[in-house]
Each structure stands twice: as C-alpha cells, then as structure tokens.
Amino acid sequence: MRTPGQVRRWRWAVLIGWLAAPFAHAALQLELQPQGLNAAQIVAAERALQQIRMRMPPQWQARFQQPVQVRWSDTLPAHIHGRARNGSITLQRALLDTVQEGRPLPRPLEAALIHELTHVLDRSPQGGWSRDGRWRDLAGWQRRPWKLGRTGNAFSGRSPDAYERASPAEFLAVNAEHMLLDPDYACRRPAVAAWFTEHLGATGRTADCDARLPLMQAEEEAGAATLLELDPARVYAVDYLLAEGNDQLMSRWGHSMLRLVICAPGRPRGPACRMDLSHHRVLSYRAFVGDVQISSWRGLTGSYPSRLFVLPLNQVINEYTQLELRGLSSVPLALDAHDVANLIERVAQVHWSYDGRYLFVSNNCAVETGKLLQEGVPRLASPGLNRLTPRGLLTRLERQGVADASVLADREQATRQGYYFASAEDHYQQLFDAARQHLPLDTTTVGDWLRQPASARARWVEQGDLRATAAMLLLEQAALRREELRARDVLKRLLGRPDTGGAAARDSVRALLEDTGQLVSPAALVTGGGYGLPAADERLQAADAAAQLSAQGVPAWKALQQQLKQRLPQAQQHELAMIDSNLARLGARMRALAREDEGRVAAH
C-alpha cells in the first residue's frame, strides 16, 4: 500500500507524463532509410540525424506531426544537395563522406537537412507560410498596383544565396538555414528573424545587435556621400512628403517621398524635434539614370533602376522650392515608436538590397513609397496602399486615418510649423515688387523679368538703392539657377548624340555615374560575402569606400561642369557669362552702397 507521499509523487509523475506526451509524440522523428549505404555511411547518417535534432529548436520540432523518412542517393544533380517530396527527404550520398566522428556536422550537410525539413514543414497542414501575404512582403515579392498579383524578387543585393529569390518557398528554406546556423542572422535580417521567432519559436540564441541602422546619405556637394548610422530612437515622426507637380511630363503628378523627423543629438524625442531641420532626412525613390541622357521612353519601359535615395531635407527643399519652383507638403503619419523602428529597418534592407526597375506608370515613386510603408508597417498592408499617383497615395493614407492633412488647412501656420514649404516663386515676386518700388522696371511679374535675356536686365544693375539692389541680386541668382537647369538639359541632349564629338566627355560622365551608382546602391561598397544589413566591420569598409569615392567625385564633377560649359551653344555660353557679369556688378554696387550708409551713420 502506497504512503500519502508516494501517492502524491505518483500523481505528479502521471501528470508530467500526460503533459509531455503530446510534445513527445509531435517531436521531429527522422527515420533513416539505409538502402544503398554501407556500414560506415549508416553510422555517419545516424550521427547526422541525431545532431540535426539537437540543432532544431524544440518548438520547430514540435510542429512535425508525421515521421520524416530520410534517404541518400547518387542520382540527384551535382548542384542539388537535397529534395523534399511527399513528406520525405532525399539527400546527396556524397555528403556523408564529410561527416567525422566527434566533429560538428559540415555546414553543407546541416544546411541541406534544415532546408529540406523546412520544405516538409511548410508543405504540411501545420505550415503554409510561404503562401502568406506578410511573408511574401518580407521576402521581396512585392504587390503590384491594380491588384495584379506580385512582382518578381528584385532584392538581389547583399543576398546570402541567389537561390532564395527562386520562390517564396525557397526564400523560407534558405533563410531557415541561416536563421539556425548564423549567430548574427538576427542582426542582418531583423524583421525576417522576428517572423521566424513569432511563427516557429526562438532559437535560444541572443544576438547583441547595433540598434543603429546604416544608410548611405547624399551630401550637399555633387558626388559626395557619407554613411549615416541612424538610431530609430532618435526619429520622432515620419511624414508623407509631397512635391507639387509642374508642367514637365515626368513631374506633372507630383512626387512622393517620406520625411524622417530626426531629433538633434541630445534632444529628447518630442515636437521640438520638428525644428531640427538640418538633421531631418528624406527617403526618395528616383530613377537612377546610368547614362548621360534621360529618356521618357526608357522611363516608361523600365530601363532605369529604381533607387531609394537618402537626402538631407534642406537639399530637397532647395531643389524643389528654389530650382523647380514647386511647393512641398509634409503630412504627419500616425505611427508609433514601434512602427517607426520597423519602417526604418525595412528602409535599411531596401537601401542595401533592392534593385528594382523604375516604371513611370506602374512602378513610380508613389507605388514604391506605398510598398515601403505597407512592408515596413504591416497593419497598413490591408486594404493596401497601392496607388499610382502621389496625391492618390496621400488620399488613401488619409482614408485609413494614417495621414493628418489638417495641418495644411492654414497655409501660413503650416509654413511656420514646418508642414509646408512654399515655392520660391511668391518670394521672388515680393523681391521683384520691392525693386519696382524704386525702379521703373518695364514688366510687372517676376516670371517675365526672369525670362528676359540677361543683357536686358543689365541696364538696371547700377540704378537701384541698397534695398532694390539686394532684391535684384537675389533674383539674378535665381536667374542663374534657372539658366543652369536649361544648360544641363542641353548638355544631356548633346552628349547623347554620337555625332557631336563628345566621346571623352561621355566617358567621363559615365565613369562618374558609375561611382554615384555605388553610393546610391551601396551593396557594391562592401566586399567579402556578407548579406543583409552590414556588420560593424562592413560598415567601416562602406564608410571608407564612400569617403574615397567622394574625395574623387566632388572635384571631378566640378571639373566636368567647367569642361561641359565650353560645349554649350555660343548663345547659351554668352547668357551664362552675362549673368555672371550682372552678379559681379550687383555685388560690387551693394558693397559700395553699404559703405556709403555706414559713412552717413558715422557722420551723424
């Protein structure tokens, strides 16, 4: 007869056995099929299966409801290590020859077993992950607009194995290998690692990852870039940044961008960070033109790569408002800190790995920005953000309650608070009106004034007072920027024509564009076979490579600009020279008038 203590122990043993039974029953069972193996190979195969059970996390193993038969064969193609069919696995018999007693399994054998076991699990009733929409977003099979399915996988840079792009199922199996075998996988592909942990359980390893995410950012000078290591904790908000349209074909519907509201170092996250404009960065998808001439037809047919540029906000404001005379609306998005961190991690993955094609109709800036948002913030994926125009994307974000365009209702207040950046055209008109108060200029609008030849404006250069002269100096600087834009278009057409004798100049431009291409698609800056987000040593390598390219590129672009100016038509060269003359005379007159004012003040 059992004592009370024995009864209690017996009951606990039964309870523990009952609780453990489902897990034991469901644990991974690998059944070796020894046909065709000699005695040594059977021992090696048993050792391999035993060690792979130890490698597979318990939660992964618990998902297998049926035993998995494992066969070894010489009939597989040489480049294929294994296949999974009908819940069983066939592996290359030659892999057994690499197994050594007392040593870890060779990496190819471990990878092959994990890869094929993942296929078995994915194809079972307990799997099906490779068909899931969220998985396909993460894996790089992006959604097409108009609900036309998904694109091919264009994430070709910084890949551990090109075979992962064969299908979402192969991406799952290849990444399962690296998830279980690479200690730093969670640092290189954080979002995919988090997906595995959520759906299949943790590996039991912890990785000490750098919270900062590397982005190659353009600098103010042409041809220069530096490595920005961005801590998501410094990003207070993300805005949808919309550039207004103009009369140009490729710009008529505006341009979609994202603005990262980054706090200055030492400033706590909060609304005051919106005033740290010099630290804000803009994410802008653009067609990277790898030749010397932009072709609308090539933009329509996808001949240009689509690149994710990381630009200083001040540079973007100047580009649109000063040069292109287009306003910018910055609409805050309702994203919490977790959303922001996930989005920036996706930005970094796209920045280092994506090599898409720009298509003016179906893969333009609005489509790319929408995909980035819904891949980085999963809750935005339903009902989806696939829209073909920048304003259409903003409308969809508003309808989902994500974008708050009410900040633009009062244009004056929006400008003060940094939600709207007005086109410089109104400012130029105010400057022009100030000059007209002192001078009888022969036109009433600044547009007509700037369209006049520089020689017509020259006769007024030395007739204004200090205020009028200062206004005309700023307007002449605007005239110079407009003329330089026109000159750039002329040079693109000239260099694109083989009959103009500009072979050397074309070669120089192409060489500089190749270097620039590495800066905006930085995977080429890092050698050594890494994948995903660069590790610490790879970041140093990328930063050094960018510094070298920038040191060569900045003076090279300046020298090329001077060289190309000499290839402009004589009339355009004369116009640029006349503007330079006007600027020099206006500057000299301002200094003279300022000295006269100082003298009058001193005399009193």
Side-chain angles (χ1 to χ4, degrees):
M1 183 175 180
R2 292 188 180 94
T3 66
Q6 290 174 322
V7 170
R8 285 195 298 272
R9 286 194 293 273
W10 176 78
R11 288 174 177 171
W12 275 112
V14 171
L15 178 61
I16 292 170
W18 178 77
L19 289 172
F23 292 96
H25 177 73
L28 174 61
Q29 301 175 54
L30 300 176
E31 296 181 350
L32 173 64
Q33 305 299 300
Q35 294 86 351
L37 302 181
N38 59 36
Q41 289 173 331
I42 291 175
V43 171
E46 289 284 8
R47 184 177 296 121
L49 299 188
Q50 181 180 5
Q51 290 191 32
I52 207 66
R53 287 191 193 95
M54 297 172 62
R55 173 73 76 175
M56 298 283 286
Q59 289 158 295
W60 289 38
Q61 294 193 44
R63 290 185 175 275
F64 288 87
Q65 299 296 312
Q66 300 294 330
V68 179
Q69 295 183 343
V70 182
R71 300 180 176 84
W72 304 82
S73 172
D74 292 327
T75 62
L76 293 176
H79 65 285
I80 294 178
H81 284 176
R83 276 182 177 156
R85 296 274 176 83
N86 300 321
S88 64
I89 293 173
T90 302
L91 297 173
Q92 281 280 10
R93 187 182 302 170
L95 292 173
L96 291 174
D97 298 335
T98 63
V99 178
Q100 298 181 29
E101 185 176 358
R103 301 288 299 274
L105 288 183
R107 173 69 181 252
L109 177 53
E110 276 191 306
L113 277 165
I114 293 169
H115 187 109
E116 302 309 329
L117 284 170
T118 303
H119 279 318
V120 170
L121 191 54
D122 183 41
R123 296 166 187 169
S124 73
Q126 293 75 42
W129 300 294
S130 62
R131 298 184 294 277
D132 177 70
R134 174 59 181 162
W135 173 255
R136 295 190 176 202
D137 282 346
L138 284 174
W141 277 267
Q142 298 178 306
R143 304 182 193 196
R144 298 181 189 272
W146 297 326
K147 299 182 181 179
L148 294 177
R150 291 179 179 267
T151 66
N153 191 318
F155 286 74
S156 57
R158 301 280 299 167
S159 171
D161 184 348
Y163 190 51
E164 69 174 352
R165 298 169 59 223
S167 70
E170 294 302 342
F171 191 94
L172 179 74
V174 168
N175 279 266
E177 301 171 26
H178 292 275
M179 175 73 176
L180 296 180
L181 299 179
D182 295 352
D184 59 348
Y185 181 83
C187 301
R188 292 185 176 276
R189 285 186 168 170
V192 183
W195 183 94
F196 273 113
T197 299
E198 178 185 353
H199 290 81
L200 291 171
T203 63
R205 287 196 309 261
T206 57
D208 184 17
C209 303
D210 191 336
R212 299 171 303 169
L213 295 167
L215 300 170
M216 194 62 66
Q217 62 180 352
E219 295 293 340
E220 295 288 347
E221 291 187 290
T226 56
L227 185 70
L228 168 68
E229 297 198 87
L230 178 60
D231 185 351
R234 284 182 56 207
V235 181
Y236 167 66
V238 178
D239 289 4
Y240 181 74
L241 191 62
L242 174 66
E244 296 171 352
N246 60 17
D247 294 334
Q248 300 297 316
L249 172 63
M250 306 296 267
S251 309
R252 189 168 298 168
W253 289 274
H255 185 65
S256 295
M257 297 168 280
L258 296 178
R259 171 188 177 185
L260 302 181
V261 180
I262 303 173
C263 304
R267 187 192 295 278
R269 290 178 75 253
C273 296
R274 286 200 167 272
M275 297 299 104
D276 297 330
L277 297 185
S278 63
H279 295 276
H280 297 185
R281 292 296 178 266
V282 172
L283 309 174
S284 176
Y285 280 98
R286 302 182 178 193
F288 178 74
V289 182
D291 60 11
V292 296
Q293 187 178 14
I294 293 180
S295 162
S296 298
W297 174 250
R298 292 183 184 180
L300 288 168
T301 57
S303 296
Y304 292 131
S306 179
R307 296 279 186 260
L308 180 58
F309 288 71
V310 182
L311 306 165
L313 175 63
N314 289 335
Q315 179 179 328
V316 172
I317 292 173
N318 180 67
E319 175 185 349
Y320 283 101
T321 65
Q322 301 289 327
L323 298 182
E324 299 188 17
L325 301 182
R326 300 163 66 181
L328 286 168
S329 298
S330 190
V331 181
L333 301 179
L335 305 180
D336 59 26
H338 182 68
D339 292 333
V340 170
N342 286 342
L343 176 60
I344 296 174
E345 190 275 323
R346 185 61 179 179
V347 166
Q349 291 289 351
V350 170
H351 185 60
W352 286 92
S353 299
Y354 182 62
D355 186 23
R357 296 287 102 183
Y358 179 86
L359 283 161
F360 180 63
V361 173
S362 61
N363 201 51
N364 54 35
C365 62
V367 175
E368 293 276 39
T369 303
K371 290 188 294 188
L372 180 63
L373 283 170
Q374 62 189 19
E375 290 162 8
V377 186
R379 63 184 172 85
L380 302 183
S382 179
L385 295 174
N386 295 320
R387 286 297 179 270
L388 294 175
T389 66
R391 290 196 178 277
L393 178 55
L394 177 57
T395 300
R396 174 49 66 96
L397 288 166
E398 288 183 85
R399 287 176 180 170
Q400 290 192 18
V402 178
D404 179 15
S406 66
V407 297
L408 303 174
D410 184 331
R411 185 58 56 87
E412 185 176 343
Q413 183 177 359
T415 301
R416 286 198 308 270
Q417 295 178 343
Y419 293 114
Y420 185 73
F421 304 94
S423 162
E425 189 167 15
D426 291 341
H427 176 58
Y428 291 157
Q429 184 63 47
Q430 292 172 6
L431 291 172
F432 185 65
D433 291 341
R436 287 182 66 236
Q437 289 177 6
H438 181 76
L439 296 171
L441 303 179
D442 50 3
T443 182
T444 59
T445 68
V446 69
D448 290 339
W449 173 258
L450 294 176
R451 280 189 287 271
Q452 288 184 347
S455 56
R457 298 191 300 269
R459 64 193 180 95
W460 300 101
V461 163
E462 295 175 350
Q463 299 187 38
D465 62 3
L466 182 59
R467 185 165 181 262
T469 302
M472 285 197 294
L473 176 63
L474 293 174
L475 291 174
E476 201 66 17
Q477 290 172 347
L480 176 63
R481 290 192 291 266
R482 289 162 62 93
E483 191 61 35
E484 285 177 339
L485 280 177
R486 284 192 286 268
R488 189 189 307 172
D489 290 337
V490 170
L491 286 171
K492 286 174 184 175
R493 288 192 292 272
L494 286 174
L495 291 175
R497 288 166 46 192
D499 59 341
T500 57
R506 281 196 296 274
D507 291 343
S508 297
V509 172
R510 288 194 178 102
L512 289 172
L513 286 171
E514 184 176 343
D515 290 345
T516 304
Q518 294 183 67
L519 295 175
V520 298
S521 183
L525 299 178
V526 180
T527 59
Y531 66 93
L533 299 180
D537 58 331
E538 294 172 323
R539 297 184 190 197
L540 290 175
Q541 185 181 354
D544 289 344
Q548 292 179 17
L549 289 175
S550 299
Q552 300 165 7
V554 171
W557 276 112
K558 289 180 179 177
L560 183 63
Q561 287 169 356
Q562 292 300 318
Q563 175 188 348
L564 292 178
K565 278 185 178 180
Q566 300 172 9
R567 299 186 57 81
L568 287 169
Q570 286 297 319
Q572 204 151 17
Q573 289 189 44
H574 176 74
E575 184 69 9
L576 286 168
M578 181 60 69
I579 293 175
D580 287 338
S581 173
N582 287 351
L583 287 170
R585 292 169 61 198
L586 285 165
R589 180 165 177 78
M590 272 197 65
R591 290 189 292 273
L593 291 172
R595 286 194 296 270
E596 290 177 10
D597 278 0
E598 289 173 1
R600 282 193 292 269
V601 171
H604 286 83

